[in-house]
Amino acid sequence: MERTLIIIKPDGVQRSLVGEVIARFERRGLRIAGLKLMHISRALAEEHYAEHKGKPFYEGTVRYMTSAPVVVMVLEGPNAIQAARQTMGKTHPLEAAPGTIRGDFGLDIARNLVHGSDKPETAEREIALYFKPEELVSYQRVTDAWLSE
Ligand code: CMP
């Protein structure tokens, strides 16, 4: 069982795609362990994107991510990180396959709708940035036994 942090970015919320995006992850079989609407502060965005500091797109990304509310969630399931990234599609929407979130709804890398953790260490770090441990809920769904052995 693995956990990943997903953000529906400001463009996803403004374009009323929250339900559509969550539905795709749910239908994939991923289980929601945490979910909230929030407005990311400048400090939090800088911490999240610290590894990109100095890159040409850093300032624009921080401004974009803090420009309007986002929906953050923790999803869990077997290989949740890889499964969620596949459901999102490649970072640049023009390279994302049709059928993925970015491939179906995006055009521009600077408005790519969703964020998902890229590896287990990143997921752990990012989940801790956005959620307190008590905000995450562990439970089973009746369908879980039908999603994996
Ligand atoms: P994300 O998966 O959140 O990780 C880094 C983000 O920076 C990326 O999605 C994009 O939203 C944003 N970004 C903007 N321009 C670029 C770029 N040229 N290369 C990579 N990421 C970019």
Side-chain angles (χ1 to χ4, degrees):
M1 195 56 64
E2 195 171 69
R3 281 180 166 175
T4 185
L5 180 91
I6 301 294
I7 304 176
I8 304 176
K9 297 183 178 185
D11 48 335
V13 176
Q14 293 296 319
R15 292 176 57 199
S16 304
L17 291 171
V18 171
E20 170 76 40
V21 170
I22 293 176
R24 287 176 178 229
F25 289 122
E26 273 196 304
R27 289 201 299 257
R28 187 77 198 266
L30 294 166
R31 188 171 60 211
I32 300 167
L35 180 67
K36 62 185 171 188
L37 178 80
M38 64 181 287
H39 201 132
I40 299 179
S41 67
R42 169 109 201 163
L44 179 55
E46 285 182 355
E47 199 172 346
H48 182 159
Y49 288 106
E51 67 172 303
H52 297 301
K53 199 168 173 128
K55 294 185 186 164
F57 61 85
Y58 171 79
E59 188 54 39
T61 298
V62 169
R63 260 191 279 114
Y64 160 46
M65 294 301 291
T66 56
S67 61
V70 299
V71 170
V72 288
M73 58 189 151
V74 173
L75 298 179
E76 61 187 9
N79 303 302
I81 295 170
Q82 188 187 353
R85 287 175 70 79
Q86 194 184 42
T87 293
M88 293 189 301
K90 288 201 174 153
T91 305
H92 200 310
L94 294 184
E95 291 170 7
T100 64
I101 295 166
R102 289 164 171 160
D104 284 350
F105 300 114
L107 289 169
D108 188 325
I109 192 166
R111 297 290 180 272
N112 65 353
L113 294 146
V114 276
H115 167 81
S117 307
D118 64 356
K119 52 182 187 286
E121 310 84 75
T122 319
E124 199 178 325
R125 175 182 161 269
E126 292 178 351
I127 289 168
L129 280 179
Y130 291 92
F131 287 93
K132 298 181 189 129
E134 64 269 25
E135 290 178 312
L136 300 178
V137 182
S138 286
Y139 61 103
Q140 290 289 311
R141 299 169 300 188
V142 288
T143 49
D144 284 337
W146 296 96
L147 286 160
S148 63
E149 281 214 325

